[in-house]
């Protein structure tokens, strides 16, 4: 009977191993799938930002137009890397975790089979015990029952050994797979961030190099041309400067430029 109890203890360890794997690997799969969807949503939002930047750039002065277009191109590059991140996460992280659903289902079926074999062993042992109590002198029947017990015990021992090897292989595969899955996850994230830092550094430098004064000069030139066209008729008032429709003191000029 102690052998039966030992086998029962082994089965509980096997079941706990499979149950924990089913629970946690399923949660990992769901959470990482949600993470990947969120990453795809960030990509989509950033693509919309790129389009908005491009549309706005087309309405601006030459320097700002060139700067925003360059910035939008860099931002679009990051989204290309993010798209690659999404595809790699699906292939190297989510898909391997999904496969465990089938592995766990198959392993549970094998555990169920072992339990049935164990139940048969316990049933034969109980039958033998009853015969020994009720008919101790019926040696033929008792001998047949003992043979059935030996056969059931051998079957249970063989099945337990096979399932033990299966569970050990399952556990080994689970541990090595998790190591690879999370290593791939970290590598995918590092590649994205390394590429993003490189591109964002370029984008930052582009924005730093932008000189608003050149666009302001272009703006002033257009403003002056517009006013010059509207004031083509002779003016009735004396204007201090024929080139500028108003005059500013030095302090006022500094104040206006500071607002840009």
């Amino acid at each position: 009977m102690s052998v039966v109890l030992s086998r029962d203890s082994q089965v509980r360890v096997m079941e706990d191993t499979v149950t924990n794997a089913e629970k946690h690997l399923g949660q990992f799969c769901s959470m990482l799938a949600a993470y990947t969807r969120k990453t795809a949503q960030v990509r989509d939002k950033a693509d919309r930002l790129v389009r908005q930047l491009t549309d706005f750039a087309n309405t601006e002065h030459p320097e700002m137009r060139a700067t925003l277009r360059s910035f939008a191109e860099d931002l679009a590059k990051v989204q290309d890397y993010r798209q690659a991140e999404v595809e790699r996460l699906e292939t190297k992280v989510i898909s391997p975790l999904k496969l465990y659903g089938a592995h766990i289902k198959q392993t549970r079926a094998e555990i169920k089979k072992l339990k049935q074999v164990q139940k048969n062993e316990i049933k034969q042992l109980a039958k033998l015990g009853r015969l020994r109590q009720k008919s101790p002198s019926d040696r033929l029947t008792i001998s047949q029952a003992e043979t059935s017990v030996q056969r059931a015990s051998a079957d249970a021992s063989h099945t337990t050994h096979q399932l033990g090897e299966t569970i050990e292989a399952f556990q080994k595969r689970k541990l090595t797979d998790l190591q690879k899955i999370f290593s791939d996850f970290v590598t995918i994230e590092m590649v994205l961030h390394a590429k993003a830092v490189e591109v964002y550094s370029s984008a930052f430098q582009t924005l730093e190099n932008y000189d608003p004064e050149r666009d302001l000069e272009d703006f002033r030139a257009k403003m002056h041309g517009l006013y010059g066209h509207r004031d083509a008729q002779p003016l009735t008032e004396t204007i201090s400067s024929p080139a500028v429709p108003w005059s500013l003191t030095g302090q006022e000029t500094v104040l206006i430029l500071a607002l840009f």
Side-chain angles (χ1 to χ4, degrees), residues 22-32:
E22 184 177 32
K23 175 185 176 182
H24 294 290
L25 295 183
Q27 289 175 343
F28 286 144
C29 188
S30 297
M31 293 175 69
L32 288 166

PDB file of all heavy atoms in Angstrom, residues 22-32:
ATOM      1  N   GLU A  22      -0.058  25.710 -16.866  1.00  0.00           N
ATOM      2  CA  GLU A  22      -1.269  26.134 -17.587  1.00  0.00           C
ATOM      3  C   GLU A  22      -1.705  27.532 -17.144  1.00  0.00           C
ATOM      4  O   GLU A  22      -2.042  28.388 -17.964  1.00  0.00           O
ATOM      5  CB  GLU A  22      -2.390  25.136 -17.337  1.00  0.00           C
ATOM      6  CG  GLU A  22      -3.665  25.442 -18.113  1.00  0.00           C
ATOM      7  CD  GLU A  22      -4.720  24.380 -17.892  1.00  0.00           C
ATOM      8  OE1 GLU A  22      -4.756  23.806 -16.777  1.00  0.00           O
ATOM      9  OE2 GLU A  22      -5.497  24.116 -18.820  1.00  0.00           O
ATOM     10  N   LYS A  23      -1.688  27.762 -15.849  1.00  0.00           N
ATOM     11  CA  LYS A  23      -2.119  29.049 -15.310  1.00  0.00           C
ATOM     12  C   LYS A  23      -1.180  30.181 -15.714  1.00  0.00           C
ATOM     13  O   LYS A  23      -1.607  31.179 -16.311  1.00  0.00           O
ATOM     14  CB  LYS A  23      -2.202  28.964 -13.781  1.00  0.00           C
ATOM     15  CG  LYS A  23      -2.523  30.297 -13.117  1.00  0.00           C
ATOM     16  CD  LYS A  23      -2.481  30.171 -11.601  1.00  0.00           C
ATOM     17  CE  LYS A  23      -2.702  31.526 -10.934  1.00  0.00           C
ATOM     18  NZ  LYS A  23      -2.625  31.427  -9.448  1.00  0.00           N
ATOM     19  N   HIS A  24       0.098  30.019 -15.417  1.00  0.00           N
ATOM     20  CA  HIS A  24       1.037  31.132 -15.591  1.00  0.00           C
ATOM     21  C   HIS A  24       1.435  31.351 -17.052  1.00  0.00           C
ATOM     22  O   HIS A  24       1.548  32.503 -17.505  1.00  0.00           O
ATOM     23  CB  HIS A  24       2.271  30.911 -14.716  1.00  0.00           C
ATOM     24  CG  HIS A  24       1.973  30.960 -13.253  1.00  0.00           C
ATOM     25  ND1 HIS A  24       1.630  32.118 -12.596  1.00  0.00           N
ATOM     26  CD2 HIS A  24       1.939  29.978 -12.312  1.00  0.00           C
ATOM     27  CE1 HIS A  24       1.410  31.864 -11.321  1.00  0.00           C
ATOM     28  NE2 HIS A  24       1.590  30.566 -11.118  1.00  0.00           N
ATOM     29  N   LEU A  25       1.633  30.281 -17.793  1.00  0.00           N
ATOM     30  CA  LEU A  25       1.963  30.458 -19.210  1.00  0.00           C
ATOM     31  C   LEU A  25       0.786  31.058 -19.971  1.00  0.00           C
ATOM     32  O   LEU A  25       0.971  31.868 -20.886  1.00  0.00           O
ATOM     33  CB  LEU A  25       2.381  29.125 -19.831  1.00  0.00           C
ATOM     34  CG  LEU A  25       3.680  28.510 -19.295  1.00  0.00           C
ATOM     35  CD1 LEU A  25       4.008  27.225 -20.052  1.00  0.00           C
ATOM     36  CD2 LEU A  25       4.835  29.479 -19.374  1.00  0.00           C
ATOM     37  N   GLY A  26      -0.431  30.668 -19.556  1.00  0.00           N
ATOM     38  CA  GLY A  26      -1.612  31.276 -20.168  1.00  0.00           C
ATOM     39  C   GLY A  26      -1.689  32.765 -19.874  1.00  0.00           C
ATOM     40  O   GLY A  26      -2.022  33.571 -20.753  1.00  0.00           O
ATOM     41  N   GLN A  27      -1.363  33.131 -18.636  1.00  0.00           N
ATOM     42  CA  GLN A  27      -1.367  34.550 -18.263  1.00  0.00           C
ATOM     43  C   GLN A  27      -0.271  35.318 -19.011  1.00  0.00           C
ATOM     44  O   GLN A  27      -0.500  36.445 -19.485  1.00  0.00           O
ATOM     45  CB  GLN A  27      -1.186  34.695 -16.754  1.00  0.00           C
ATOM     46  CG  GLN A  27      -2.407  34.249 -15.957  1.00  0.00           C
ATOM     47  CD  GLN A  27      -2.164  34.298 -14.462  1.00  0.00           C
ATOM     48  OE1 GLN A  27      -1.024  34.359 -13.986  1.00  0.00           O
ATOM     49  NE2 GLN A  27      -3.249  34.265 -13.693  1.00  0.00           N
ATOM     50  N   PHE A  28       0.902  34.708 -19.100  1.00  0.00           N
ATOM     51  CA  PHE A  28       1.983  35.354 -19.858  1.00  0.00           C
ATOM     52  C   PHE A  28       1.562  35.596 -21.300  1.00  0.00           C
ATOM     53  O   PHE A  28       1.804  36.665 -21.870  1.00  0.00           O
ATOM     54  CB  PHE A  28       3.252  34.488 -19.829  1.00  0.00           C
ATOM     55  CG  PHE A  28       3.987  34.505 -18.523  1.00  0.00           C
ATOM     56  CD1 PHE A  28       4.609  33.352 -18.052  1.00  0.00           C
ATOM     57  CD2 PHE A  28       4.073  35.649 -17.768  1.00  0.00           C
ATOM     58  CE1 PHE A  28       5.292  33.352 -16.845  1.00  0.00           C
ATOM     59  CE2 PHE A  28       4.749  35.664 -16.556  1.00  0.00           C
ATOM     60  CZ  PHE A  28       5.362  34.513 -16.101  1.00  0.00           C
ATOM     61  N   CYS A  29       0.939  34.592 -21.893  1.00  0.00           N
ATOM     62  CA  CYS A  29       0.514  34.692 -23.291  1.00  0.00           C
ATOM     63  C   CYS A  29      -0.492  35.822 -23.467  1.00  0.00           C
ATOM     64  O   CYS A  29      -0.378  36.645 -24.391  1.00  0.00           O
ATOM     65  CB  CYS A  29      -0.073  33.362 -23.753  1.00  0.00           C
ATOM     66  SG  CYS A  29      -0.428  33.295 -25.522  1.00  0.00           S
ATOM     67  N   SER A  30      -1.477  35.889 -22.578  1.00  0.00           N
ATOM     68  CA  SER A  30      -2.510  36.929 -22.667  1.00  0.00           C
ATOM     69  C   SER A  30      -1.915  38.316 -22.469  1.00  0.00           C
ATOM     70  O   SER A  30      -2.232  39.258 -23.215  1.00  0.00           O
ATOM     71  CB  SER A  30      -3.603  36.676 -21.622  1.00  0.00           C
ATOM     72  OG  SER A  30      -4.266  35.458 -21.870  1.00  0.00           O
ATOM     73  N   MET A  31      -1.047  38.458 -21.467  1.00  0.00           N
ATOM     74  CA  MET A  31      -0.476  39.765 -21.155  1.00  0.00           C
ATOM     75  C   MET A  31       0.468  40.250 -22.253  1.00  0.00           C
ATOM     76  O   MET A  31       0.449  41.422 -22.637  1.00  0.00           O
ATOM     77  CB  MET A  31       0.255  39.704 -19.809  1.00  0.00           C
ATOM     78  CG  MET A  31      -0.682  39.470 -18.629  1.00  0.00           C
ATOM     79  SD  MET A  31       0.196  39.251 -17.061  1.00  0.00           S
ATOM     80  CE  MET A  31       0.828  40.910 -16.811  1.00  0.00           C
ATOM     81  N   LEU A  32       1.271  39.346 -22.780  1.00  0.00           N
ATOM     82  CA  LEU A  32       2.202  39.740 -23.839  1.00  0.00           C
ATOM     83  C   LEU A  32       1.471  40.005 -25.151  1.00  0.00           C
ATOM     84  O   LEU A  32       1.905  40.851 -25.945  1.00  0.00           O
ATOM     85  CB  LEU A  32       3.275  38.667 -24.015  1.00  0.00           C
ATOM     86  CG  LEU A  32       4.298  38.616 -22.881  1.00  0.00           C
ATOM     87  CD1 LEU A  32       5.114  37.335 -22.937  1.00  0.00           C
ATOM     88  CD2 LEU A  32       5.227  39.836 -22.925  1.00  0.00           C
TER      89      LEU A  32
END
